[in-house]
């Protein structure tokens, strides 16, 4: 028995501020499933306990009122489209355990300053697409895939994100 997975929500009873419990019926909650809270129209904040080790693809996709997320220590991957199109999300703290930020994970959010953890190994393509307010520093040795920070807007290049310079939408070089 590997624990429990949250697979969905009841829109009539879901509060604005969601606290995922670490246990239900004595069993640990270890995963938030694919599409579990996708397109939820009420959720404004979510607390995810340290018992959760995996958050599925599109888990919080298009939660337009979501402003605050507390991610668990021990989480190694921010899955594909996890917080994509969460247009009110303006800040998030990545746990020191995160190694991978998936494709489109934060695309279309209003995230400003974000600290990339030293554990980070890969930022997948389009992870921060349309994140026009993003300010960050990327640890040495991180693989940044094509268009990870693409804006596809009128932003001019070269664009500098701390000590890295983007000479176009796909090329990253150490400044």
């Amino acid at each position: 028995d590997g624990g429990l997975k949250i697979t969905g929500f009841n829109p009539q009873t879901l509060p604005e501020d969601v606290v995922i419990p670490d246990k239900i019926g004595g069993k640990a909650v270890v995963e938030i499933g694919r599409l579990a809270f996708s397109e939820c129209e009420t959720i404004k904040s979510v607390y995810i306990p340290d018992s959760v080790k995996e958050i599925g693809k599109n888990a919080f996709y298009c939660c337009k009122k979501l402003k605050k997320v507390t991610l668990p220590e021990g989480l190694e991957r921010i899955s594909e489209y996890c917080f994509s199109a969460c247009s009110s999300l303006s800040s998030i703290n990545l746990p020191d355990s995160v190694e991978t930020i998936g494709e489109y994970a934060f695309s279309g959010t209003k995230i400003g300053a974000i600290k990339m953890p030293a554990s980070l190994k890969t930022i997948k393509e389009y992870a921060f697409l349309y994140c026009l307010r993003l300010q960050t520093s990327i640890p040495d040795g991180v693989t940044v895939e094509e268009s990870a920070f693409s804006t596809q807007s009128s932003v001019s290049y070269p664009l500098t994100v701390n000590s890295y310079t983007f000479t176009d939408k796909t090329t990253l070089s150490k400044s």
Side-chain angles (χ1 to χ4, degrees):
D1 180 14
L4 300 176
K5 176 181 3 179
I6 304 290
T7 59
F9 65 95
N10 180 338
Q12 282 78 36
T13 60
L14 189 72
E16 289 181 348
D17 300 311
V18 173
V19 176
I20 306 289
D22 60 349
K23 291 184 178 182
I24 298 175
K27 292 187 179 185
V29 175
V30 297
E31 182 179 351
I32 297 174
R34 183 175 180 263
L35 300 166
F37 293 92
S38 182
E39 299 186 35
C40 176
E41 295 181 11
T42 57
I43 190 171
K44 289 186 178 179
S45 72
V46 64
Y47 168 82
I48 303 169
D50 290 347
S51 63
V52 172
K53 301 302 177 199
E54 185 176 340
I55 301 174
K57 293 179 183 178
N58 300 76
F60 295 93
Y61 171 77
C62 204
C63 292
K64 293 183 179 179
K65 293 183 180 177
L66 183 61
K67 291 181 179 182
K68 182 179 180 190
V69 177
T70 303
L71 294 172
E73 284 300 326
L75 185 69
E76 295 180 356
R77 177 181 180 83
I78 308 292
S79 294
E80 296 85 347
Y81 294 90
C82 193
F83 299 101
S84 180
C86 292
S87 54
S88 295
L89 186 61
S90 58
S91 69
I92 194 161
N93 290 325
L94 298 179
D96 289 332
S97 52
V98 170
E99 295 179 358
T100 303
I101 298 174
E103 294 92 344
Y104 297 92
F106 295 104
S107 65
T109 64
K110 292 182 179 170
I111 290 176
I114 185 171
K115 181 184 177 289
M116 300 291 182
S119 59
L120 191 62
K121 294 178 181 171
T122 307
I123 300 173
K124 297 284 191 174
E125 60 187 10
Y126 305 111
F128 293 94
L129 178 70
Y130 299 124
C131 292
L132 304 178
R133 299 176 182 171
L134 186 68
Q135 296 177 359
T136 193
S137 174
I138 302 166
D140 288 338
V142 173
T143 300
V144 179
E145 292 189 359
E146 182 177 347
S147 300
F149 295 93
S150 180
T151 58
Q152 303 206 348
S153 69
S154 60
V155 172
S156 59
Y157 291 88
L159 169 68
T160 300
V161 178
N162 285 0
S163 61
Y164 288 84
T165 299
F166 294 84
T167 53
D168 57 35
K169 292 180 181 167
T170 61
T171 306
L172 174 72
S173 61
K174 186 88 168 150
S175 295

